[in-house]
Amino acid sequence: MTNHLLDTLKVAAGERHASVFARRPDGTADTYGDIVDLAGRIAAVLLDAGLMPGDRVAAQTDKSVEAIALYLATVMAGGAFLPLNTAYTSDEMAFFLGDAAPRVAVVDPARQAALAPAITAAGVPAVLTLGADGGGSLIEAAAGRTPAAPIARGPDDLAAILYTSGTTGRAKGAMLSHRNLASNAATLAAHWRFTADDVLIHALPIFHTHGLFVATNVVMATGGTLIFLPAFDADRIVAAFAQGATALMGVPTFYTRLLKHPGLTRAAVAGMRLFVSGSAPLLSETHRDWQARTGHAILERYGMTETNMLTSNPYEGERRAGTVGFPLPDVAVRIADPDSGAPLADGEIGAIEVAGPNVFGGYWGLPEKTRQEFRADGFFITGDLGRFDAEGYLHIVGRSKDLIISGGFNVYPKEVEALIDGLPGVAESAVIGLPHTDFGEAVTAVVVPRDPAVPPQEPAVLAGLAERLARYKQPKRVLVVDALPRNAMGKVQKAALRETYAGLYGGGG
Ligand code: AMP
């Protein structure tokens, strides 16, 4: 009997059961033996609850080692793990539970009462709890159980459903198979040279592909150790550098915040071999500042919930700031005309389309939507726009829905943002299109000052761009704000900005 994903993650491999899987903030540690045993006992509880192959286990729980065990347990019991953002409200939970119809829901004990109406409305047969401290009815039920043996599952079977963090329209559940997850874990582990000696600082949420699959699966597949932190905390990360850590995976905000920490020095990171960034664009400036400060070039990679990881800067060779590197082995990436799907020449900007064993099978319950997002030859249309440069590095210029069409001309926000970010007094910027009677959309810059006491002035920003950008790309207005709206993964929420400022030009469209 084989379970494709768990075999790749070597979950049943007895010889490494004494090695440490996770070091907890309180100084205790869980070995691989511990986590596999707990997962086996939780799997027994899930099977008792009537979980059948393919059934969903929805989990809205705080980050804990036990929550990782629940993920493994679900896969072990033949189910599909469905992690949900801890920020989702009861109303949002009602949608997800209704849509996914899980057999089991695992929630925070403190939220059980508030979620009861959503759970009842969705008719979820079994509800268990798991708290941030690793306690709750799930763990109580698992105590003293005989661990279940893994249920046989093949590469095409469903292993997880992750709802995309989509900022517009209805959230869609991406169905990920055992092959999707296993192939990407193996590819990344080899590409980034992970071994059993690695100690990865894990400070990402585990309801998202980055923290759950990229970070956790890669380490598990190679038998390394996690320094398991409940959330991002610059002090704790700097402390972890001195505790044998070798690698960090983070979103760009991790790096910008760590750069503000006085403890970030070359000496402090002497034991580190790899810093990876992804899930949102890393500013070239951050890349350069990090290299100057630590001597390390951050390795930026690109992927998404639906596809797992797609491209990566090289482990050896130049890690080029502002790019997401080359397609990973076995992953095909092409640039196509967004309308016709016809391939474009290198250097041209177009829709990023991808194929490979890592690419999901479709959206849960949405066959029509799924068909629309795939080309006839099986390539998935990512919704990102990009181009390959002469050396084959992929540059992402933004989401296609963030593309601005002003007076009939395409404006790629990233080009304008990069110039604004280089102006004096600017920390960062977001360029959006807002409804405008004459132009259709008006290019609009939202700017965050480096020092709130001396915000950059609109005329100065406009003057700074005047000679460097074609007129149609220049912002019509520059707005100064304290901070840009971001989601849990540090992605700027442009849809929220468009909504906030929809009426700036009289709302006329
Ligand atoms: P998610 O499904 O939440 O992981 O979001 C995936 C999206 O994040 C991608 O489609 C990209 O738009 C964006 N993204 C991920 N990694 C990068 C990166 N390194 N640079 C720029 N955008 C990225």
Side-chain angles (χ1 to χ4, degrees):
M1 286 290 167
T2 58
N3 180 297
H4 186 69
L5 176 57
L6 296 188
D7 291 348
T8 303
L9 301 182
K10 302 188 187 74
V11 163
E15 73 274 10
R16 69 176 197 196
H17 278 192
S19 323
V20 173
F21 166 63
R23 288 199 232 145
R24 299 187 187 226
D26 67 4
T28 60
D30 300 72
T31 64
Y32 277 90
D34 293 334
I35 184 114
V36 172
D37 173 69
L38 178 58
R41 289 186 286 111
I42 296 175
V45 173
L46 298 176
L47 291 167
D48 264 11
L51 194 85
M52 300 295 286
D55 278 355
R56 279 75 56 212
V57 174
Q60 189 191 37
T61 61
D62 278 318
K63 185 176 177 181
S64 66
V65 175
E66 287 76 8
I68 298 280
L70 174 61
Y71 150 55
L72 295 176
T74 303
V75 176
M76 216 177 252
F81 188 58
L82 200 165
L84 292 159
N85 193 324
T86 43
Y88 288 146
T89 63
S90 303
D91 281 0
E92 289 167 315
M93 286 294 285
F95 166 76
F96 292 114
L97 297 174
D99 191 51
R103 160 72 50 179
V104 181
V106 181
V107 301
D108 187 332
R111 292 204 62 204
Q112 193 178 9
L115 290 171
I119 290 168
T120 309
V124 182
V127 183
L128 293 153
T129 62
L130 176 60
D133 61 356
S137 63
L138 175 74
I139 303 303
E140 284 159 24
R145 300 296 303 253
T146 303
I151 300 282
R153 297 260 83 192
D156 293 322
D157 288 322
L158 192 61
I161 297 180
L162 263 61
Y163 279 83
T164 54
S165 52
T167 47
T168 49
R170 166 192 187 293
K172 305 180 291 284
M175 298 191 285
L176 297 157
S177 68
H178 279 242
R179 178 190 286 109
N180 295 155
L181 302 180
S183 67
N184 214 233
T187 297
L188 295 176
H191 206 70
W192 296 339
R193 313 279 164 88
F194 271 82
T195 72
D197 295 330
D198 271 302
V199 179
L200 176 82
I201 304 172
H202 194 306
L204 292 158
I206 56 169
F207 51 72
H208 186 268
T209 185
H210 196 168
L212 183 63
F213 299 139
V214 184
T216 309
N217 285 355
V218 163
V219 167
M220 192 162 260
T222 45
T225 297
L226 299 176
I227 294 183
F228 202 75
L229 302 178
F232 176 84
D233 178 328
D235 287 337
R236 280 182 161 175
I237 290 183
V238 169
F241 292 150
Q243 292 159 1
T246 62
L248 173 69
M249 291 187 196
V251 294
T253 41
F254 279 25
Y255 294 101
T256 51
R257 290 193 207 161
L258 281 165
L259 278 165
K260 294 188 181 129
H261 196 290
L264 182 75
T265 60
R266 262 174 202 256
V269 300
M272 295 288 288
R273 71 168 182 90
L274 183 62
F275 293 94
V276 179
S277 177
S279 292
L282 183 79
L283 294 176
S284 299
E285 183 194 355
T286 310
H287 194 280
R288 281 193 295 272
D289 290 352
W290 191 269
Q291 187 148 25
R293 182 92 162 263
T294 67
H296 284 273
I298 297 174
L299 184 155
E300 184 169 8
R301 93 310 179 266
Y302 158 62
M304 60 197 302
T305 304
E306 289 94 329
T307 63
N308 296 284
M309 299 307 104
L310 296 162
T311 71
S312 169
N313 269 279
Y315 188 80
E316 273 161 19
E318 187 197 348
R319 298 179 192 165
R320 194 169 282 187
T323 83
V324 294
F326 309 113
L328 286 163
D330 292 336
V331 180
V333 180
R334 70 185 182 197
I335 304 295
D337 181 281
D339 299 319
S340 68
L344 295 177
D346 277 359
E348 288 193 59
I349 294 176
I352 301 177
E353 301 185 350
V354 301
N358 49 304
V359 177
F360 78 137
Y363 294 110
W364 173 258
L366 297 171
E368 191 45 42
K369 182 80 195 156
T370 302
R371 263 192 295 280
Q372 287 165 9
E373 311 272 318
F374 281 89
R375 297 281 180 203
D377 62 357
F379 274 68
F380 173 64
I381 306 163
T382 61
D384 290 314
L385 298 170
R387 69 176 171 88
F388 282 109
D389 67 20
E391 284 79 40
Y393 287 82
L394 182 65
H395 298 239
I396 296 178
V397 300
R399 299 286 298 164
S400 53
K401 62 176 188 285
D402 294 331
L403 173 74
I404 303 166
I405 304 179
S406 190
F409 293 108
N410 285 359
V411 180
Y412 297 100
K414 181 140 187 217
E415 184 187 1
V416 187
E417 289 161 2
L419 288 175
I420 297 177
D421 293 349
L423 295 176
V426 175
E428 60 172 348
S429 62
V431 169
I432 53 173
L434 295 175
H436 189 288
T437 330
D438 290 342
F439 297 104
E441 285 185 301
V443 179
T444 308
V446 185
V447 171
V448 178
R450 204 167 270 286
D451 176 355
V454 277
Q457 300 298 311
E458 182 167 24
V461 172
L462 294 176
L465 299 175
E467 296 301 315
R468 303 162 79 185
L469 276 180
R471 184 127 186 105
Y472 71 91
K473 298 180 188 171
Q474 293 174 21
K476 306 277 176 283
R477 288 292 314 274
V478 178
L479 310 171
V480 177
V481 299
D482 293 342
L484 297 173
R486 285 198 146 82
N487 72 3
M489 302 309 291
K491 268 197 257 290
V492 174
Q493 304 295 280
K494 289 196 168 174
L497 283 176
R498 283 193 289 264
E499 212 170 290
T500 306
Y501 300 110
L504 189 69
Y505 302 97

